[in-house]
Amino acid sequence: MERKLVIVAVLPIAVIIGYALIFKIDLIDVFLSMDPVFVVLFFLSYITQCLILAYRDSMISKVNFFTSFKARLFGNGISLIIPGAAGPDLARAILYTKKGISLDKAFSISLIESFFDVTVVSVMFLILFWLRFSPLLIIFVFVAFFNVAMWIAGFGYVYGTSHETLNRLEQKIFTFKYIKPLERAYLDSKWLIKDRLSNVKMASFYSALTVIGYILQSLPFYLIFSSYLKSIIINITYQVSLLVPIPSAAGAAELALTAIIPPSLVLVVRILELIAYSLGLIFVNDIKFSELREKVKEVWKVS
């Protein structure tokens, strides 16, 4: 396991070095030539977005703002190592359990947060990408469309089948011995997701906060391009590239950014983003795997 973690940690660094060699860019020169104002604004915009999303998350999860903010930072940090629901979503859920929420419900809450994170930025990208069209972006058009389709289909199914009992298909699935204990947790999770999404006004508010977060996160690029629209396109293109299910989107992020900004700036963005995300790993000591095992056992014994 340790060897795998080392490989995952080294992967984005190796990609950055390889990218610099391909485009014949001096990494030391990139570091020395970074605009201090851009760097400061980059980190401030990142923290600001996290604060906005944490406020949204606190309303969804009904835990205090600080816990939501810490969970947001930690989830981003874990995404450098483990992408998708197995990484950041579970990481946030574990921190929520410390506020008395069962692991199954905490994970459902975290998935709701990801639903807004992913679908909002994907829709923004699908609307705006053509303003800076490049053949390299085609793959990310498919990534965005696939994520929107899958999340809406998945949550649509959950919303439409949130009843007190299982439907016929679910009954067959839960006849398996090792899955049966999760039946109650599954039904409760579906009810929780429907409950959080049933208020159209609040769901719209969550979406609006998410949009605002992504817009404010785009501010640093205005210093370089003097076009707020282009700045937003750059940021959402980068965010969509992070949806590619590989650790820290190594390679995918570089490809997406290369389609719309100079290679030297690509390296600056990637380096700063990796540093910003890694800040969340300072909370890794908040997770004790012995506690996690006990919480998993509790969920498995629900029924």
Side-chain angles (χ1 to χ4, degrees), residues 24 39 52 104 128 132 136 167 171 191 225 272 280 284 299:
K24 299 180 180 180
V39 173
I52 291 172
D104 55 317
L128 297 176
R132 295 289 300 177
L136 290 176
N167 59 39
Q171 287 174 1
W191 177 88
F225 298 103
L272 293 180
V284 72
V299 173

Side-chain angles (χ1 to χ4, degrees), residues 1-163:
M1 179 59 72
E2 291 182 1
R3 182 179 298 178
K4 291 181 180 179
L5 288 177
V6 170
I7 292 174
V8 167
V10 170
L11 179 60
I13 299 174
V15 170
I16 287 174
I17 294 174
Y19 185 91
L21 291 174
I22 291 172
F23 287 94
K24 299 180 180 180
I25 300 172
D26 187 336
L27 279 173
I28 296 177
D29 184 59
V30 168
F31 272 105
L32 295 177
S33 61
M34 284 185 183
D35 182 354
V37 177
F38 179 84
V39 173
V40 171
L41 189 56
F42 188 95
F43 284 104
L44 286 177
S45 65
Y46 170 71
I47 295 299
T48 300
Q49 191 223 21
C50 288
L51 288 169
I52 291 172
L53 294 185
Y55 175 64
R56 182 206 67 189
D57 294 347
S58 68
M59 290 189 290
I60 295 173
S61 63
K62 302 189 187 305
V63 301
N64 64 73
F65 174 78
F66 177 73
T67 299
S68 295
F69 180 60
K70 183 165 67 171
R72 174 59 50 177
L73 292 176
F74 182 54
N76 288 347
I78 291 296
S79 70
L80 296 176
I81 304 171
I82 308 172
D89 295 344
L90 181 57
R92 293 198 303 273
I94 293 171
L95 291 186
Y96 291 155
T97 62
K98 295 183 176 295
K99 296 301 177 180
I101 303 174
S102 63
L103 182 59
D104 55 317
K105 292 181 179 179
F107 188 64
S108 298
I109 289 169
S110 190
L111 285 177
I112 295 171
E113 295 165 357
S114 282
F115 170 77
F116 288 103
D117 293 341
V118 174
T119 56
V120 167
V121 77
S122 294
V123 169
M124 290 175 70
F125 175 75
L126 291 173
I127 292 173
L128 297 176
F129 87 94
W130 59 273
L131 295 176
R132 295 289 300 177
F133 179 77
S134 167
L136 290 176
L137 292 180
I138 293 298
I139 185 174
F140 299 103
V141 173
F142 285 109
V143 169
F145 182 81
F146 176 80
N147 273 277
V148 170
M150 292 302 295
W151 278 95
I152 290 179
F155 270 59
Y157 173 81
V158 169
Y159 193 94
T161 61
S162 296
H163 309 298

Side-chain angles (χ1 to χ4, degrees), residues 166 169-177 179-184 186-187:
L166 302 173
L169 175 61
E170 293 169 337
Q171 287 174 1
K172 291 182 179 180
I173 293 174
F174 280 95
T175 57
F176 291 97
K177 178 181 178 181
I179 300 179
K180 181 65 177 176
L182 294 173
E183 180 179 327
R184 186 68 261 161
Y186 174 73
L187 289 171

Side-chain angles (χ1 to χ4, degrees), residues 280-298:
L281 295 176
I282 63 175
F283 300 114
V284 72
N285 290 330
D286 286 8
I287 293 182
K288 296 180 180 179
F289 288 99
S290 58
E291 293 181 3
L292 178 58
R293 283 195 295 270
E294 291 303 315
K295 293 182 185 300
V296 171
K297 289 180 182 178
E298 290 176 9

